[in-house]
Amino acid sequence: MAAAIHQVVKRLFQSRLSSNLFNQFFLYGFSHLIPIILIPFLINTIGIEKYGLLNFALAFSFYFQLVNEFGFDLSNVRHVVNNRENKVALSRILSGILSCKALLVVVTFMCYGAIVLSVGRFREDLLLYGLAFLRLIGIVIAPFWLFQSMEDIKYVTRVTIPVKILCLSPVFWVVKSEGDFVWVMFFYMLECMVSGILALWIALHRYGLVLQKVSWNEMKFYFRDSWPFFLSTALMRIYKNSNAVVLGFFCGEASTGIYTAAEKLHNAYSSFMSPILSKVFYPYFSRVKNIKIMDKMVGLISCGNIVLLVLLFFLSSYIIPFFIKENALDISLYFNMFLILLIVSVPTDLLGFPYLGVLGYVNEVTRTTIMATIVYLIGIVVLSLIKEISIGSLICLLIISTLFCLLQRLFYIRKARRRRLCTSF
């Protein structure tokens, strides 16, 4: 009996899923270690307002990042999984996706440039917003989605961690005063560009792929194929990432700085979970297609998530003031509110494409996201009309919108189970 248990545990830790989980945890844990260290350094060096401006520019450029990505990271999982050993097909897939993204970069650049040049507050910091867009080009060319679909996340780890260390560490030596805030964006851009170029080179040599010219018909296929994924993920990420922009317009850069400091601490945790759900379990669920295994994974992750969040809730009031001196109490308060959001958002993400998507309910995932986004937008309008937009009210709005999305997805899962029971008799 003991020998049998030993063999099961040994197979588990030697499996591809375990390897991907380890690399994903290590990658995203280390990826957010430097940003966490940067928070107190930047707040103390460039000030809370410039820190807020920096993150406002990142949040604004994020909308264009969503368009450039266009859901390709999720839509092409099944194409790559079905052609793992076919170099010709993989070359066509990679070439097609990069061609689509190149077209989107050109279109979004014209829109982005027109907005930045026509809005006074953007035009005053033209270099900052220009670097923010250049950063997106590095994100676009990085074929991390290919490594994730091939379940070779270790290569993402090997690229990302050294580049982050080399490109972001100089911030501590170069940034000395408030006027150096643009240098922070420069190093963010440099990190993304180097990561993207290096990852593309490794992917081509690792899998023996060759970039090719693709037809417009092939590009149209990828656009149509990715549209449901784009619509769902874009809407979800818009209402989860728009608060910094809303605060920047209504409450100023200082409020944006406090909010984004708390949000980055929240992101340090959520970045462990959300990429694992979409980039590890989605390919894994797509491969195994076993409802019982999926249910066990959902239960284990959800329970473990709650335990960790409760622990963080009690520790945060002691840990955060130790590292962050300016506005520490406010940041701790809003971080604890973000922990409540994580109790809801983690199972919501897990029950999206990794679960309902594998069951074939892609449209239902999109529908739940649309409805949650509508709730969020209505909430923004109501809060602006009654002049109650604040950091706390926007986080509460996120919690309500995400909870609404979770309840809808639970409803569709229950409906899907009833259909399966009916067809089994």
Side-chain angles (χ1 to χ4, degrees):
M1 182 66 178
I5 295 175
H6 174 74
Q7 289 297 322
V8 171
V9 173
K10 184 178 179 181
R11 285 198 301 270
L12 175 63
F13 281 96
Q14 290 179 344
S15 66
R16 179 180 290 175
L17 176 62
S18 297
S19 173
N20 286 329
L21 282 173
F22 172 78
N23 280 281
Q24 200 74 28
F25 271 117
F26 188 70
L27 167 65
Y28 283 90
F30 198 91
S31 294
H32 283 76
L33 179 61
I34 293 181
I36 289 175
I37 298 173
L38 280 173
I39 292 174
F41 173 78
L42 292 177
I43 290 177
N44 293 330
T45 304
I46 65 177
I48 195 69
E49 290 191 2
K50 293 301 182 183
Y51 181 77
L53 174 61
L54 183 72
N55 284 281
F56 178 85
L58 289 172
F60 175 72
S61 65
F62 179 75
Y63 295 116
F64 298 87
Q65 177 183 333
L66 289 177
V67 177
N68 291 336
E69 291 177 342
F70 207 78
F72 294 125
D73 293 4
L74 290 173
S75 65
N76 284 288
V77 168
R78 64 185 185 278
H79 300 312
V80 174
V81 169
N82 293 333
N83 294 279
R84 287 173 184 258
E85 307 301 326
N86 190 333
K87 294 182 180 180
V88 175
L90 288 178
S91 295
R92 299 298 296 179
I93 293 171
L94 178 61
S95 301
I97 298 307
L98 290 180
S99 298
C100 292
K101 288 186 174 184
L103 176 62
L104 290 172
V105 166
V106 173
V107 175
T108 55
F109 174 73
M110 292 188 290
C111 297
Y112 185 91
I115 294 173
V116 169
L117 292 174
S118 60
V119 178
R121 62 179 298 179
F122 292 166
R123 194 167 54 249
E124 291 175 0
D125 297 292
L126 185 61
L127 180 57
L128 177 71
Y129 288 97
L131 290 171
F133 189 87
L134 286 177
R135 173 179 168 271
L136 301 186
I137 297 177
I139 296 174
V140 166
I141 64 176
F144 290 142
W145 55 270
L146 179 61
F147 293 120
Q148 289 150 0
S149 299
M150 295 290 285
E151 298 186 81
D152 274 339
I153 294 179
K154 60 181 178 291
Y155 290 99
V156 182
T157 306
R158 293 172 183 175
V159 170
T160 304
I161 291 178
V163 172
K164 277 188 177 292
I165 294 174
L166 292 173
C167 294
L168 294 184
S169 295
V171 171
F172 295 101
W173 296 284
V174 174
V175 178
K176 299 295 184 181
S177 63
E178 180 180 312
D180 295 331
F181 70 96
V182 176
W183 278 106
V184 182
M185 186 66 78
F186 169 79
F187 288 115
Y188 285 165
M189 179 276 296
L190 182 64
E191 181 251 324
C192 290
M193 290 292 288
V194 174
S195 292
I197 295 171
L198 183 59
L200 180 60
W201 182 83
I202 292 175
L204 293 174
H205 288 77
R206 160 67 179 167
Y207 304 115
L209 308 182
V210 178
L211 294 179
Q212 307 169 7
K213 183 178 180 180
V214 297
S215 66
W216 173 239
N217 287 331
E218 289 178 275
M219 293 174 62
K220 285 196 295 184
F221 166 78
Y222 287 117
F223 278 123
R224 286 195 302 267
D225 187 57
S226 295
W227 172 250
F229 297 89
F230 164 70
L231 187 61
S232 178
T233 55
L235 291 174
M236 175 72 78
R237 293 168 74 183
I238 283 173
Y239 87 74
K240 284 187 175 182
N241 293 276
S242 292
N243 282 352
V245 176
V246 174
L247 284 170
F249 280 113
F250 285 92
C251 302
E253 293 163 357
S255 294
T256 305
I258 295 172
Y259 174 85
T260 52
E263 185 186 41
K264 285 184 183 298
L265 295 174
H266 152 272
N267 291 344
Y269 179 89
S270 64
S271 62
F272 276 109
M273 302 302 296
S274 295
I276 289 172
L277 305 183
S278 62
K279 298 172 183 177
V280 174
F281 281 107
Y282 185 35
Y284 177 71
F285 285 173
S286 298
R287 180 162 55 88
V288 299
K289 295 181 180 178
N290 188 310
I291 299 297
K292 292 183 178 180
I293 293 177
M294 292 163 61
D295 287 342
K296 289 180 180 179
M297 291 291 185
V298 170
L300 287 172
I301 293 172
S302 299
C303 292
N305 177 59
I306 293 175
V307 171
L308 288 174
L309 292 176
V310 171
L311 181 63
L312 282 174
F313 181 84
F314 287 107
L315 293 177
S316 62
S317 59
Y318 300 99
I319 297 175
I320 292 176
F322 183 77
F323 293 101
I324 300 176
K325 304 303 179 182
E326 188 176 346
N327 302 103
L329 292 178
D330 290 335
I331 293 172
S332 297
L333 170 64
Y334 297 128
F335 173 69
N336 285 334
M337 293 182 68
F338 272 118
L339 294 181
I340 299 173
L341 172 63
L342 284 166
I343 293 177
V344 183
S345 64
V346 168
T348 301
D349 291 342
L350 184 58
L351 296 178
F353 285 116
Y355 197 103
L356 283 170
V358 169
L359 294 179
Y361 291 87
V362 174
N363 291 333
E364 283 74 8
V365 176
T366 304
R367 193 175 301 129
T368 60
T369 308
I370 292 173
M371 295 304 297
T373 306
I374 292 173
V375 170
Y376 173 80
L377 294 175
I378 292 174
I380 291 292
V381 173
V382 172
L383 289 174
S384 63
L385 290 175
I386 63 176
K387 298 181 179 180
E388 288 293 335
I389 287 184
S390 65
I391 298 175
S393 64
L394 289 180
I395 297 176
C396 288
L397 181 57
L398 279 180
I399 295 172
I400 294 170
S401 303
T402 308
L403 180 60
F404 184 72
C405 185
L406 174 62
L407 294 175
Q408 290 181 92
R409 290 180 178 181
L410 288 172
F411 169 78
Y412 284 119
I413 288 174
R414 184 179 180 184
K415 189 175 181 180
R417 291 184 179 279
R418 286 180 177 178
R419 287 180 181 176
R420 285 178 176 269
L421 286 174
C422 291
T423 55
S424 64
F425 289 103

